[in-house]
Amino acid sequence: MNTSCLLSLAFVALTAGGCRMSTPKAATPKAAVAESQTTAAPEAADTLSASGSAYLLCRRTDGGDEGQLLRRTAYVTAYDARRLTPMWVGWTLTAAHTDGPHERKGHKFYEDTDVPEPRALYSDIRESECGYQRGHMCPAADNKWSRQAQDESFLMTNICPQNGDLNGRDWKVLEDACRTWATRWGAVHIVCGPIYRRKRPRRVGPHRVAVPDAFFKVVLTGSGSDARCIGFVYDNVAGHKPMASYACSVDDVEERTGLDFFSALPDDVEAAIEARCDVDQWPV
C-alpha cells in the first residue's frame, strides 16, 4: 500500500476477511480519537472536522493528478479541474454534529471562486435540462451544527451531477446511516466522491461538468479491537436496493478509484481493516 496518505489516527487491526454476514459483536465500539482542530466557525470549537488535519487526505495510486486541495470548516476536498467536480471529499462526523439549528432551507448553491475558471455554476446542473440533480458529497444534513459549515456544503466544489432517484433514496439511506453510526459510536470518518469509468464522461451545462458513472463512500470508526471500516459503491442510476447490496471492502474501493485511504496506518493494520467487509458490524 502507498503510505503517503497522512492520518493522525492509530487503530488496531481487525481480523482480515471477505465481505460476509455474521453475528454483530456485543461490544459497542469506542469513538476514534483525533487531534483537536482549529476551525473557522465559532460553533466548530469541538469539531473533529478535516479543517487543519491530515488524516482524511488521500493520494492517488494510479499516477493521476492529485487535484487542488481545499480546506473548509467541516470537510477537506481535492478538486478536479478537468471534470469540474471534486475528486474526493473527507470529513469527520461526530455525534454532536448530527443535528443543529442551521437547516438546509434558505441556503443556495454557489460557485467556488477558490478554483480557476472555467468552474461549475448553479446553472450547469438543472434537472429539468440535463436530467441530474446537484448531489452533495458532504451532506447538508451533516452540517446543521454551524452556519458557515452549512454555507460551505453548498459550494459547487462539493457537488456532482447525481441521478435524482439515487440522491433522494439509496444514497440518502447511506447518509442517514452515517449519522446513526456517529450518534451510536461518537464519531465516524468519511471519504466519498465520484467514480469515472470512461475516459470521456458525459458532460452537462454550459461549462461541461462531468457526470460520474458511480459514487463511492468509505467509513471508518472505532479504536483498539473495535476499529472497523467499510466501503460502498453506487452506480449513478435510479434504483432501490438494500444498503448491504452496495457494500464492499475499502480495498475494493481503492481498486476502483485509484485512491489510497488510511494508509498511514501500519501495513498489517491497514491490510486487515481494509480487506474486511462485514455489514453486520454496521447496523442501522
Side-chain angles (χ1 to χ4, degrees), residues 128-233:
S128 61
E129 297 176 3
C130 69
Y132 294 94
Q133 293 182 355
R134 302 174 198 95
H136 286 76
M137 295 296 94
C138 181
D142 285 7
N143 291 284
K144 293 190 288 185
W145 53 275
S146 162
R147 172 76 188 192
Q148 182 167 328
Q150 186 66 271
D151 283 344
E152 291 172 352
S153 77
F154 282 83
L155 283 164
M156 291 300 292
T157 46
N158 183 45
I159 304 300
C160 289
Q162 191 169 46
N163 178 275
D165 183 78
L166 173 64
N167 190 22
R169 296 179 69 174
D170 289 12
W171 188 253
K172 181 180 182 298
V173 169
L174 179 57
E175 291 177 339
D176 291 342
C178 288
R179 286 186 283 275
T180 297
W181 297 329
T183 299
R184 179 177 295 148
W185 298 328
V188 289
H189 312 284
I190 305 165
V191 183
C192 80
I195 296 175
Y196 295 96
R197 299 186 180 116
R198 293 172 289 181
K199 290 184 178 180
R200 295 183 177 180
R202 181 184 175 185
R203 302 271 181 164
V204 297
H207 295 95
R208 297 181 51 77
V209 180
V211 178
D213 297 302
F215 296 93
F216 74 88
K217 184 167 286 187
V218 294
V219 188
L220 173 68
T221 194
S223 62
S225 61
D226 290 316
R228 65 195 64 188
C229 63
I230 193 168
F232 298 89
V233 173

Side-chain angles (χ1 to χ4, degrees), residues 11 13 16 18 25 74 81 104 124-125 152 177 192 208 225 262 267:
F11 297 93
K25 290 185 176 181
R104 172 175 179 152
D124 284 311
I125 309 173
E152 291 172 352
C192 80
R208 297 181 51 77
S225 61
F262 317 136
D267 288 345

Side-chain angles (χ1 to χ4, degrees), residues 41-72:
E43 304 97 317
D46 64 339
T47 189
L48 297 180
S49 78
S51 245
S53 70
Y55 64 86
L56 292 169
L57 299 181
C58 305
R59 291 289 180 265
R60 304 207 66 87
T61 59
D62 58 5
D65 180 15
E66 298 286 355
Q68 179 182 349
L69 190 65
L70 303 167
R71 296 182 185 274
R72 306 303 182 198

